[in-house]
Amino acid sequence: MYDLIVIGWGKAGKTLAAKLAAKGKKIAVVEENPKMYGGTCINVGCLPTKSLVHSAKLISQVKNYGIDGDYEFKNNFFKEAMKKKDEMTTKLRNKNFSILDTNENVDIYNEKGSFISNNEVKVTTKDGEVVLKADKIVINTGSVSRNLDIEGANNKNVLTSEGILELKELPKKLLIIGAGYIGLEFASYFRNFGSEVSVFQFDDSFLAREDEDEAKIIKEILENKGVKFYFNTSVKKFEDLGDSVKATYVKDNEELVEEFDKVLVAVGRKANTENLGLENTSVELGKFGEVVVDDYLKTNAPNIWAAGDVKGGAQFTYVSLDDFRIIFPQILEGTKGRKLSDRVLIPTSTFIDPPYSRVGINEKEAQRLGIAYTKKFALTNTIPKAHVINETDGFTKILINENNEIIGASICHYESHEMINLLSLAINQKIKANVLKDFIYTHPIFTESLNDILG
């Protein structure tokens, strides 16, 4: 009998296991895939992709000094980048495994787990089936990529975001299906590596949730780098050509055919709840297959919680860590503290080149809510540091309400992913805009641009 069973080795689950085991609780961790110790972020998500973002940026910066090469040069660089990425993920995966494996209060089951009741999870080991029992259970199985339901979609050259991270050669010609945030990140850094990149979007939308002026600038930045966008374009089928794939697609009602080395399907992710045996519990699923939870991440079952991507909503590692903060006191002491409704601000960064970061509300949302605001806007080429490092693309937009409080910020420049956290703190703590405007910053840095932008 365990105090807690954690199904899935994501950020929230592994942290709960480590912290509760340190408090003397007996924990079982069930993870069927040994390549997923540590969760999506470490293995197939934010860290390996950002490693490639960094490597791709290096080769793009070298071009600014007139150093370029043929495909063989770029492919060799890509292979080294993939090697560095693999070394990093292996190191972090092993570290995550070791933290729990060396704890005497944690038992690890490298098998598929499925519920047989609200308190029981079945795992199949080499010695047969084992039924684990616990007073409390946390579902932390993450999310998986969505696939296309069309002819030839199972072709070996048609990949999801997980598969494309295992490439051995740089694709000369890459098709990305989906102009969402994930698709744009891959488009940006594969273009920096030197691939010819085409992006198909089924309708005419581009970053539809963002303000139109921001989306327009971001699209122009990517197009100037050589990314080609095709709107109102849908693939009908794929045909295997051995080392490449032929895509038959329809654009503006015209059927066309084109050959690509690889295809990335980036049409979103879904909660990983299939084959968990949830039909044997009182856990309820939402319309997209996500686990339904209350404000404290508890499911319909009184002893089962869900954390991370599997519960739907924002799919970020730092959100999963915050899920840990919500669940931890409930399991340890039976007390309730932090809750989902306390999570009013979630800053985001999309790691295109340059990164695009957001927090708070944008103009669309302010207008919909009837909130009066003043807009402060500046192009990145007005920032001295941008010229120092030859990173002048992008913009900064900050919205200020009638009380002189910042209510939203959008930044697209080289340091946006760092700078957005300062503005998130300002919104959260209701720091007046003039405080940031008159603050003394070091020089030359991107953050000092607040002196001028807020002026």
Side-chain angles (χ1 to χ4, degrees):
M1 185 75 175
Y2 290 97
D3 295 303
L4 175 69
I5 298 172
V6 178
I7 305 177
W9 203 307
K11 183 69 172 180
K14 70 175 184 180
T15 310
L16 282 167
K19 297 291 186 182
L20 289 166
K23 297 290 186 179
K25 302 292 185 181
K26 190 64 177 174
I27 314 295
V29 178
V30 182
E31 172 55 63
E32 65 174 325
N33 187 351
K35 291 186 177 181
M36 288 299 290
Y37 299 142
T40 296
C41 178
I42 286 175
N43 297 289
V44 295
C46 43
L47 293 189
T49 56
K50 300 319 167 284
S51 173
L52 295 178
V53 166
H54 175 69
S55 295
K57 184 64 178 176
L58 292 178
I59 196 169
S60 72
Q61 288 174 327
V62 167
K63 293 177 185 176
N64 292 333
Y65 292 90
I67 302 173
D68 202 355
D70 56 13
Y71 171 76
E72 184 178 356
F73 169 80
K74 295 171 183 175
N75 190 38
N76 286 335
F77 188 93
F78 176 75
K79 289 178 179 179
E80 284 300 312
M82 295 297 280
K83 180 181 176 182
K84 297 288 185 186
K85 181 267 298 181
D86 290 341
E87 290 173 350
M88 178 198 70
T89 54
T90 299
K91 177 181 178 181
L92 294 176
R93 184 165 56 246
N94 290 341
K95 178 181 177 182
N96 272 266
F97 179 77
S98 179
I99 288 172
L100 296 185
D101 186 51
T102 56
N103 192 310
E104 62 182 11
N105 287 325
V106 177
D107 291 335
I108 298 172
Y109 294 86
N110 298 129
E111 310 292 344
K112 174 74 176 179
S114 61
F115 285 91
I116 56 177
S117 73
N118 281 350
N119 295 91
E120 298 171 304
V121 174
K122 178 181 67 177
V123 296
T124 303
T125 71
K126 62 182 179 180
D127 299 319
E129 288 187 355
V130 176
V131 175
L132 312 178
K133 297 181 179 181
D135 292 330
K136 300 175 177 66
I137 300 174
V138 171
I139 304 170
N140 189 214
T141 50
S143 61
V144 293
S145 295
R146 295 183 183 276
N147 292 308
L148 293 177
D149 185 19
I150 62 173
E151 182 182 344
N154 60 347
N155 185 288
K156 68 179 183 298
N157 293 310
V158 179
L159 309 166
T160 62
S161 58
E162 290 91 344
I164 203 166
L165 290 174
E166 300 300 322
L167 288 182
K168 305 302 181 186
E169 305 282 338
L170 176 68
K172 293 181 179 179
K173 193 173 180 181
L174 173 67
L175 168 61
I176 296 177
I177 300 177
Y181 302 98
I182 294 175
L184 294 183
E185 282 193 4
F186 279 97
S188 179
Y189 66 75
F190 269 96
R191 181 60 196 145
N192 275 351
F193 274 125
S195 297
E196 180 183 331
V197 178
S198 298
V199 179
F200 287 4
Q201 175 65 17
F202 75 95
D203 58 14
D204 61 359
S205 67
F206 183 80
L207 297 179
R209 292 201 297 264
E210 314 303 343
D211 290 338
E212 290 182 9
D213 59 339
E214 298 176 21
K216 182 175 182 291
I217 293 173
I218 292 169
K219 181 170 174 286
E220 289 176 350
I221 288 172
L222 292 172
E223 286 178 330
N224 289 338
K225 292 180 182 296
V227 177
K228 300 174 183 177
F229 290 97
Y230 298 82
F231 296 95
N232 298 308
T233 303
S234 298
V235 178
K236 290 182 63 177
K237 66 177 182 178
F238 294 111
E239 182 179 341
D240 187 7
L241 299 179
D243 292 331
S244 62
V245 60
K246 182 168 70 175
T248 300
Y249 61 96
V250 177
K251 175 174 170 51
D252 298 326
N253 297 317
E254 180 183 2
E255 187 170 299
L256 302 164
V257 176
E258 192 168 350
E259 183 180 346
F260 298 91
D261 295 304
K262 301 292 178 183
V263 176
L264 167 64
V265 178
V267 293
R269 298 180 67 83
K270 61 180 180 179
N272 185 19
T273 53
E274 293 184 9
N275 302 315
L276 276 179
L278 292 175
E279 67 277 5
N280 301 318
T281 72
S282 49
V283 173
E284 181 185 350
L285 297 181
K287 63 179 180 179
F288 299 112
E290 76 281 9
V291 176
V292 176
V293 295
D294 66 12
D295 209 21
Y296 292 93
L297 297 176
K298 185 168 281 190
T299 69
N300 281 19
N303 65 309
I304 301 176
W305 291 258
D309 295 358
V310 75
K311 71 180 189 309
Q315 297 180 341
F316 302 110
T317 292
Y318 46 95
V319 169
S320 187
L321 179 60
D322 196 49
D323 289 348
F324 151 77
R325 299 184 187 108
I326 293 172
I327 297 174
F328 181 69
Q330 298 178 64
I331 293 179
L332 180 63
E333 302 167 343
T335 60
K336 293 180 178 179
R338 184 168 174 77
K339 53 189 182 298
L340 282 179
S341 53
D342 295 329
R343 190 187 291 161
V344 293
L345 280 179
I346 300 178
T348 63
S349 289
T350 301
F351 285 86
I352 55 176
D353 180 20
Y356 172 58
S357 304
R358 274 249 285 123
V359 71
I361 63 175
N362 60 13
E363 291 193 79
K364 279 185 177 180
E365 294 162 327
Q367 291 164 9
R368 178 176 57 83
L369 296 170
I371 298 174
Y373 64 90
T374 299
K375 177 174 70 175
K376 302 289 186 177
F377 182 90
L379 294 173
T380 303
N381 62 19
T382 62
I383 303 174
K385 180 60 180 287
H387 293 273
V388 170
I389 61 174
N390 194 29
E391 292 288 344
T392 56
D393 286 340
F395 61 88
T396 300
K397 181 196 289 185
I398 299 173
L399 305 185
I400 303 169
N401 67 13
E402 294 174 318
N403 296 322
N404 196 36
E405 296 167 346
I406 297 171
I407 57 174
S410 304
I411 314 174
C412 179
H413 64 47
Y414 186 80
E415 291 287 359
S416 76
H417 51 296
E418 294 287 353
M419 188 171 162
I420 199 66
N421 294 296
L422 172 63
L423 293 166
S424 180
L425 177 65
I427 297 172
N428 184 274
Q429 298 299 311
K430 298 186 181 302
I431 298 172
K432 300 292 184 180
N434 65 293
V435 173
L436 295 185
K437 174 179 72 72
D438 296 330
F439 198 78
I440 299 175
Y441 305 94
T442 55
H443 171 80
I445 61 172
F446 280 83
T447 308
E448 68 173 329
S449 63
L450 294 175
N451 291 146
D452 295 324
I453 294 168
L454 296 175

